[in-house]
Structure formats: structure tokens, C-alpha cells
Amino acid sequence: LPGAFQDKEGKTACEGCGEGVYCPLGSSAALSCPSGRFGNESGLLTEEDCHKCPAGSFCGTGSEQPKPCFPGTFAANRSSPVCSQCPEGTYQEDPGATACDVCGAGYTCPAGSSNRIPASCNEGSYLPSEGSFTNQSDCVPCPVSTWCAGGQTPPRNCSAGTYQDAEGQTACAECTVGGDFCGQHMQCISNGAAHDGQCVCEAGYYVAGDGCTECDNGTYKTTAGNEDECTPCTGYKTTLNKGST
């Protein structure tokens, strides 16, 4: 009988063809549905009676039901015997997918990823906002006047009174009055100082030539800045010392 088989001699009846197999007329054995197809009902007669596996699922040889693709894999077309890994740079969180999603900026996705892994740049470097992360070579050194904590953190400007004149740094240095960066009687005043051109004369000093000179008696300067003279006292007043503020 079609849809049945008999693998023993001398029998008076055939065995019914179960699920996952098919039985042409005169079969001595049930034949498995081929890979990429499944048989979810009994009594199938031909290979073509086995249903095509739907997209987003896979069917091995003799499948009774299609199985959804696992997260990190996909099947774009029908009749897939296996699901394909998501390519590098993509991922898929859900089962039964027909495509993978783009990993996106700030993340890395190895082949077969079921989720996105946040970028992890070393300290002193960062990942540009539109960049994709595969390894440390995708990270960029922090520019001058900034510092980088690493990971996904973008560069941070040096705060007022600090500076950084080198790339790829993890912190900014304090810009002390008279220190090595600015020089005697000078200090940083702008946020994110990157060079000594961003230094100014401290209060009580004015610009003279390549440096700072203290205000003369009878003059003063109350704030840091690069004025080329101090303010004269008025109303018959004077100062007690040079460099008055």
C-alpha cells in the first residue's frame, strides 16, 4: 500500500508509515525525509510530500518538525538543513531568525554572536563615535589637552588649572604657578591646556618680553592674564610692595 511498508516476509498487512518518513508503493522500509524537509504527519507517499523547512529554521534528515535557528544563527531561505552563523560584525539575539543585525558603533560582534559586546579600548585611547570595534587597533590615542579612561568612554577635557601636552594619556597634570610647563610666575588658565601658549601671567605680574614681570610699586593686577601693563593706583594711593594684587 502507498504510505505503508513491510520489511518482513509472510505478513498479511503493511505497517503504517510514521512521521519524519515516507513510503512509496511497495516499500520494504520507510525512507527518511531528506535534510531541508520535514514530515509532521504519517502516511506520506513521496519525498515531495515532506514539507520544505521554513526560513528561520533547519531540518535534518528524518525531521518530524522544523527546529528554529538558535540565537547567533540564521536561515535566510527555505529548505535549510542547517542554520548559518551570523558573520563577524553582526549578531542575532532571537531564535528563528532569517537575518542578522548590524553590530553598530561602539560594539564588537565575533562570528556567531548572539549579543553585542561593548568596545573596550585600553586606558589612554578611545573608540570614535562612528567606529566599530574588533580589537585594540580600532582605538585611537587620546588627543592633547584631554585624557581617556578607556572602555567606551570618549576623551575628557583637562579641567581648569591642568594640562596635557601629549597624546594617549590617562590623566592631566596640575599646572602649578612657576612649574615646568608654564614657567616662572605663569599658570594655566584655559580648560584643556595643550601648550605653553595657553599659559598666562599670574596675578601681580604682567607680560614683558618672553616672560612675566612683577607690577611696580604704585601699580597692581588682580587676576591672572596676559596684560602688558598693571593698573596704576589712584587718589594718591600706592602699594606696599611690587607684585601687588
Side-chain angles (χ1 to χ4, degrees):
L1 294 175
F5 73 98
Q6 183 50 260
D7 57 355
K8 296 181 176 62
E9 295 180 353
K11 297 295 181 179
T12 60
C14 294
E15 302 288 340
C17 207
E19 294 183 2
V21 295
Y22 65 97
C23 298
L25 180 65
S27 292
S28 60
L31 303 176
S32 296
C33 288
S35 59
R37 290 176 175 267
F38 68 98
N40 61 348
E41 53 190 314
S42 59
L44 299 180
L45 306 181
T46 68
E47 179 180 307
E48 293 300 316
D49 289 336
C50 298
H51 307 297
K52 291 182 178 180
C53 208
S57 61
F58 67 99
C59 298
T61 301
S63 291
E64 297 178 7
Q65 295 286 346
K67 295 181 179 178
C69 292
F70 299 113
T73 67
F74 72 104
N77 302 311
R78 299 172 66 191
S79 304
S80 294
V82 294
C83 298
S84 301
Q85 277 193 338
C86 289
E88 182 178 357
T90 66
Y91 74 104
Q92 181 51 256
E93 296 178 320
D94 301 320
T98 59
C100 298
D101 299 321
V102 176
C103 197
Y107 295 88
T108 180
C109 296
S113 291
S114 59
N115 52 55
R116 302 190 298 171
I117 303 171
S120 185
C121 292
N122 291 333
E123 290 184 348
S125 64
Y126 72 102
L127 187 70
S129 59
E130 297 303 320
S132 60
F133 180 87
T134 54
N135 53 53
Q136 292 299 319
S137 65
D138 297 318
C139 301
V140 178
C142 235
V144 294
S145 79
T146 67
W147 63 280
C148 291
Q152 288 184 278
T153 307
R156 297 176 180 175
N157 289 331
C158 292
S159 58
T162 64
Y163 74 96
Q164 185 49 259
D165 57 354
E167 293 183 342
Q169 302 302 305
T170 60
C172 298
E174 184 178 357
C175 188
T176 56
V177 175
D180 293 336
F181 181 70
C182 279
Q184 191 172 17
H185 304 302
M186 302 188 80
Q187 67 183 68
C188 295
I189 191 142
S190 65
N191 287 7
H195 54 80
D196 57 12
Q198 294 172 309
C199 297
V200 294
C201 294
E202 64 176 305
Y205 288 78
Y206 67 98
V207 175
D210 294 331
C212 299
T213 300
E214 61 185 347
C215 295
D216 292 327
N217 283 329
T219 65
Y220 64 96
K221 183 164 164 281
T222 58
T223 59
N226 280 341
E227 292 84 355
D228 58 7
E229 61 181 2
C230 297
T231 304
C233 296
T234 59
Y236 304 104
K237 296 177 181 178
T238 188
T239 57
L240 296 176
N241 302 296
K242 289 185 176 182
S244 292
T245 60

